[in-house]
């Protein structure tokens, strides 16, 4: 009797397990993606569809994403797509997404116990503010094989602290990975040689805009990241979640400052996304008078991001407006 019950449970669960496995393979497995590409490129109707989708992606300009036209085009070719999914044995998408794009995202800022309650500001002349252009720009990315697909950043204006990512159609049907890519700015500060100084507060002021669309099998998301060298030592930085750059040799000090756009998986034929923020992020820590502090701050895609099988368009804009350091001395 127990054996029969076990077999019944397994039989009941098997379809669900197979569906889960199919989804896991679809989102990021290069073999499944290659299988789809091989089958899809045999069909002239699909090649025509992809050419039309890619053309709409390429003619999108910033916030003008051509999303409505792409959605209508995919809806007209719904049966064509289902036929290909059936041939290669992956689960067909759900009914095409009709929900409105996500509204304003308020970033989740991690706040920790402050050390500043025990201190007072050093006189006003020792405040330090930096605005664009900053000392340097930086980027970090995964560099692994077929994941190596970078965004177009040529529209960025580094002299104004503005970084723009644009992801359009992939260079070929197999390369559907966004992968990890983060970029931002670097600024160094020298702590004044005032023996009373014991701590510093660093405030980053920024704005963020993200919009676009993607297709079946996509994952997207945006994170805010920060890195301070060991010359700034405090709980508000140290207790932030570690942000892992797997192919970086200097990932121990990278931290996740906030989630700008939460991880979102496209299970329908088509999905839109939209997020904005105009905010600030603050860290604090103990410092040594006369020492140099190097700070890096920016945004980007987390490592698990994947473009959809049938085209995509992502536009992300980040502006680091200002960095302000306030120095503190002991209250006594």
């Amino acid at each position: 009797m127990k054996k029969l019950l076990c077999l019944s449970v397994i039989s009941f669960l098997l379809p669900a397990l197979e569906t889960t496995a199919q989804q896991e393979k679809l989102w990021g497995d290069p073999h499944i993606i290659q299988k789809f590409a091989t089958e899809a490129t045999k069909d002239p109707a699909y090649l025509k569809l992809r050419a039309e989708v890619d053309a709409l992606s390429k003619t999108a300009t910033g916030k003008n994403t051509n999303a409505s036209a792409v959605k209508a085009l995919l809806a007209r070719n719904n049966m064509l797509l289902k036929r290909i999914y059936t041939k290669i044995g992956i689960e067909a998408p759900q009914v095409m997404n009709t929900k409105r794009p996500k509204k304003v995202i308020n970033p989740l800022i991690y706040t920790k116990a402050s050390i500043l309650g025990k201190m007072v500001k050093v006189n006003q002349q020792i405040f330090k503010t930096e605005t664009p252009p900053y000392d340097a720009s930086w980027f970090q990315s995964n560099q692994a094989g077929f994941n190596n697909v970078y965004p177009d950043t040529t529209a960025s204006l580094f002299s104004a602290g503005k970084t723009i990512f644009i992801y359009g159609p992939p260079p070929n049907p197999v390369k559907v990975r966004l992968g990890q890519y983060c970029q931002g700015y670097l600024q160094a500060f020298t702590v004044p040689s005032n023996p009373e100084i014991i701590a510093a507060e660093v405030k980053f002021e920024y704005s963020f805009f993200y919009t676009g669309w993607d297709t079946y099998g996509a994952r997207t998301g945006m994170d805010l990241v920060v890195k301070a060298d060991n010359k700034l030592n405090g709980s508000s930085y140290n207790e932030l979640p570690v942000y892992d750059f797997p192919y970086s040799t200097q990932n121990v000090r990278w931290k996740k400052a906030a989630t700008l756009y939460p991880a979102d998986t496209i299970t329908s034929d088509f999905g839109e996304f939209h997020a904005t923020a105009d905010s600030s992020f603050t860290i604090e820590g103990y410092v040594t008078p006369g020492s140099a502090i190097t700070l890096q701050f920016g945004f980007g895609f987390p490592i698990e991001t994947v473009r959809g099988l049938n085209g995509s368009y992502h536009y992300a804009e980040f502006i680091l407006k200002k960095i302000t350091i306030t120095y503190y001395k002991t209250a006594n």
Side-chain angles (χ1 to χ4, degrees):
M1 181 67 182
K2 287 183 179 179
K3 288 183 177 179
L4 288 173
L5 181 60
C6 289
L7 288 172
S8 299
V9 171
I10 291 170
S11 298
F12 176 77
L13 292 176
L14 191 56
L17 292 173
E18 287 177 347
T19 296
T20 301
Q22 287 170 343
Q23 291 178 340
E24 288 174 352
K25 286 179 179 178
L26 173 60
W27 293 317
D29 187 315
H31 302 293
I32 296 298
I33 295 164
Q34 179 66 65
K35 189 175 180 181
F36 172 83
T38 300
E39 185 60 42
T41 52
K42 295 177 183 176
D43 193 323
Y46 181 80
L47 294 177
K48 180 175 181 293
L49 169 63
R50 273 311 301 264
E52 292 173 327
V53 171
D54 289 352
L56 288 168
S57 180
K58 289 175 181 176
T59 56
T61 54
K63 300 173 185 180
N64 179 20
T65 67
N66 286 338
S68 297
V70 175
K71 185 175 181 179
L73 180 60
L74 291 171
R76 292 196 299 270
N77 287 272
N78 180 262
M79 295 308 296
L80 166 65
L81 296 173
K82 283 187 176 180
R83 186 168 71 245
I84 297 171
Y85 298 139
T86 300
K87 283 185 179 180
I88 65 171
I90 63 173
E91 183 187 15
Q94 299 172 9
V95 175
M96 185 174 287
N97 195 345
T98 57
K99 68 181 180 182
R100 295 177 63 84
K102 288 182 172 61
K103 296 183 180 179
V104 172
I105 300 291
N106 293 316
L108 172 63
I109 302 295
Y110 298 90
T111 55
K112 299 297 179 182
S114 174
I115 63 173
L116 302 184
K118 301 177 182 178
M119 303 180 185
V120 294
K121 293 179 182 179
V122 176
N123 79 46
Q124 297 290 324
Q125 280 71 36
I126 304 187
F127 291 10
K128 181 67 173 173
T129 298
E130 294 288 349
T131 55
Y134 301 103
D135 285 347
S137 62
W138 60 266
F139 82 92
Q140 290 278 352
S141 176
N142 60 314
Q143 298 282 341
F146 99 112
N147 296 338
N148 186 8
V149 183
Y150 290 159
D152 179 2
T153 61
T154 56
S156 300
L157 186 61
F158 298 118
S159 62
K162 179 187 288 188
T163 299
I164 293 175
F165 295 169
I166 299 174
Y167 265 110
N172 61 63
V174 178
K175 289 196 173 184
V176 299
R177 185 81 182 213
L178 288 174
Q180 188 178 51
Y181 186 95
C182 295
Q183 186 161 316
Y185 297 93
L186 177 152
Q187 186 67 40
F189 291 84
T190 299
V191 181
S193 298
N194 181 333
E196 291 185 301
I197 294 175
I198 192 171
E201 176 190 78
V202 185
K203 182 178 182 181
F204 302 92
E205 297 176 50
Y206 67 92
S207 65
F208 164 75
F209 179 84
Y210 183 42
T211 191
W213 51 267
D214 218 315
T215 55
Y216 180 45
R219 285 182 186 149
T220 192
M222 279 281 176
D223 291 330
L224 191 68
V225 298
V226 63
K227 183 181 179 184
D229 60 23
N230 58 11
K231 304 295 178 59
L232 181 74
N233 184 20
S235 62
S236 69
Y237 178 83
N238 294 337
E239 295 179 24
L240 289 170
V242 172
Y243 202 75
D244 183 26
F245 288 100
Y247 299 94
S248 169
T249 58
Q250 302 176 2
N251 62 352
V252 290
R253 294 289 291 177
W254 283 104
K255 300 287 187 173
K256 180 176 178 178
T259 298
L260 291 169
Y261 184 85
D264 190 17
T265 299
I266 309 297
T267 57
S268 62
D269 284 318
F270 178 85
E272 291 182 73
F273 39 85
H274 178 78
T276 62
D278 191 353
S279 189
S280 64
F281 174 76
T282 302
I283 57 175
E284 60 196 27
Y286 295 103
V287 296
T288 302
S291 64
I293 302 170
T294 301
L295 302 161
Q296 292 172 257
F297 190 71
F299 82 129
F301 296 103
I303 194 165
E304 68 274 11
T305 46
V306 182
R307 281 187 285 191
L309 291 178
N310 301 302
S312 63
Y313 176 78
H314 297 248
Y315 176 86
E317 180 179 296
F318 179 84
I319 303 174
L320 180 53
K321 299 176 180 179
K322 185 192 299 185
I323 307 173
T324 303
I325 288 195
T326 304
Y327 296 104
Y328 287 79
K329 64 181 181 180
T330 58
N332 296 326

